[in-house]
Amino acid sequence: MRKLLYLLFLPLLLLAGKPHLLLLETYHEDANISGWLMSEKLDGVRAYWNGKALISRGGQKFAAPSWFTKGFPPFAIDGELWSKRGDFANISGIVRRKHAHDGWRQLSYNIFEVPYQKCGLLQRLRVLQAYLKQHPHTHIKIIKQRICHNQNDLKHYLKTIEKKGGEGVVLRDPLAPYIAKRTHRALKVKSFLDDECRLIGYNQGKGKFAHKVGSFRCQMASGMIVNLGSGLSDYERMHPPKIGAILTFKYKSLTKNGKPRFPVFQRVRIPQKHQ
């Protein structure tokens, strides 16, 4: 429901080609995840291959070079365009450009789902594995899935990923069919909570930030206004994203009024428009 409301703030993304994708719910410790599958949550750019074109979560076609997508399967696959941990700004810059370029050589397409295939997650991924066995591909990689035995197993794995600079962990019910919407059978696990908001203005900086942006004034899907100052680099204060951009931020918890505690800017998730 939250994401459906959020679409009201994204009129430019309501395109005819927008794919219906599986989306993650947030993990809570009372969830029974014994026997589920867990994998690293890559901090890249979501990309959906529909069998003919590589498109964004918002329905925009990526200007991927033909040599990158040549030999992609004739069926749908879903994953992250990614290079390495902590490289989101570079990845985003590469894929946002309107024309194909050699920057794509830094990227791989890391697959976590083969939509609309039968049976559970591992069986769906085996469809792609069988295809790649017959048609090896340099740029396609399948994200490794491991069995989660219990809560302690999850905590240890999350700690290991975060120590390496990773974003978090994804938990999946291995028996769930493909679900093209937000589902409690697919969960994201992080030490911090995170959310997205729409940039609606700038607050003037003070003191050492005089003559720069002090914080971003943003609106969440709920209508709540949040100011993001922590986490901004000097460059972002001098060259802020355009009004209308969608930003990702993290926070500790919510107040009883639904306001994020200690919000910290992380990145521009969706620019106001492609560069």
Side-chain angles (χ1 to χ4, degrees):
M1 177 60 71
R2 184 180 69 181
K3 291 298 180 182
L4 290 176
L5 291 173
Y6 190 52
L7 292 177
L8 296 175
F9 299 95
L10 296 173
L12 294 177
L13 295 181
L14 295 178
L15 306 176
K18 183 176 179 181
H20 298 286
L21 302 177
L22 178 143
L23 299 172
L24 305 175
E25 289 281 7
T26 300
Y27 164 79
H28 297 286
E29 290 193 351
D30 58 351
N32 180 10
I33 43 82
S34 178
W36 281 32
L37 297 171
M38 57 185 182
S39 61
E40 179 174 355
K41 188 178 189 300
L42 300 183
D43 189 18
V45 173
R46 181 84 173 264
Y48 177 75
W49 173 256
N50 64 7
K52 295 182 179 180
L54 195 61
I55 55 180
S56 73
R57 176 175 161 182
Q60 296 169 324
K61 184 177 178 180
F62 290 111
S66 58
W67 52 258
F68 188 89
T69 58
K70 184 179 179 180
F72 272 26
F75 50 85
I77 53 177
D78 190 6
E80 295 276 321
L81 294 167
W82 191 73
S83 57
K84 60 183 178 180
R85 299 181 182 102
D87 198 35
F88 177 81
N90 178 48
I91 299 167
S92 180
I94 290 171
V95 305
R96 288 206 315 263
R97 290 173 62 175
K98 290 184 177 181
H99 304 289
H101 60 99
D102 275 353
W104 281 76
R105 296 191 186 279
Q106 302 175 48
L107 306 180
S108 57
Y109 187 25
N110 297 265
I111 307 304
F112 51 71
E113 184 58 88
V114 183
Y116 308 114
Q117 301 294 331
K118 295 180 179 180
C119 301
L121 176 58
L122 292 181
Q123 290 86 350
R124 295 195 298 273
L125 290 174
R126 287 190 190 114
V127 173
L128 178 58
Q129 289 171 340
Y131 176 84
L132 294 177
K133 188 174 181 179
Q134 297 296 321
H135 310 276
H137 203 287
T138 303
H139 306 296
I140 295 178
K141 302 180 185 299
I142 299 176
I143 297 176
K144 184 177 180 180
Q145 303 289 332
R146 9 177 129 229
I147 296 175
C148 180
H149 299 287
N150 49 45
Q151 304 281 356
N152 288 334
D153 193 18
L154 171 61
K155 290 178 181 178
H156 180 267
Y157 184 56
L158 175 62
K159 188 175 181 180
T160 299
I161 292 298
E162 290 182 335
K163 276 187 175 181
K164 294 178 179 179
E167 182 183 20
V169 171
V170 174
L171 278 171
R172 302 282 303 274
D173 180 347
L175 301 180
Y178 180 72
I179 303 171
K181 61 180 181 180
R182 193 168 300 282
T183 170
H184 66 278
R185 299 176 80 173
L187 308 172
K188 59 182 177 180
V189 189
K190 300 180 182 181
S191 294
F192 285 86
L193 299 171
D194 65 9
D195 207 335
E196 294 178 346
C197 58
R198 181 174 181 263
L199 179 61
I200 60 174
Y202 313 108
N203 297 314
Q204 181 63 44
K206 298 179 181 178
K208 67 177 182 178
F209 298 133
H211 310 299
K212 300 179 182 178
V213 170
S215 61
F216 297 154
R217 183 173 175 79
C218 303
Q219 187 171 28
M220 299 172 63
S222 64
M224 179 69 67
I225 301 299
V226 58
N227 294 309
L228 302 179
S230 296
L232 298 183
S233 66
D234 285 342
Y235 179 85
E236 287 157 343
R237 294 181 189 277
M238 292 294 293
H239 307 278
K242 294 181 180 181
I243 300 297
I246 306 304
L247 312 181
T248 300
F249 67 98
K250 65 180 182 179
Y251 59 97
K252 287 279 191 179
S253 60
L254 293 173
T255 68
K256 63 180 180 180
N257 295 322
K259 189 169 185 177
R261 297 179 187 271
F262 310 113
V264 177
F265 169 78
Q266 288 191 287
R267 65 187 66 88
V268 177
R269 175 56 64 180
I270 304 174
Q272 195 275 331
K273 64 178 181 178
H274 282 317
Q275 296 178 342

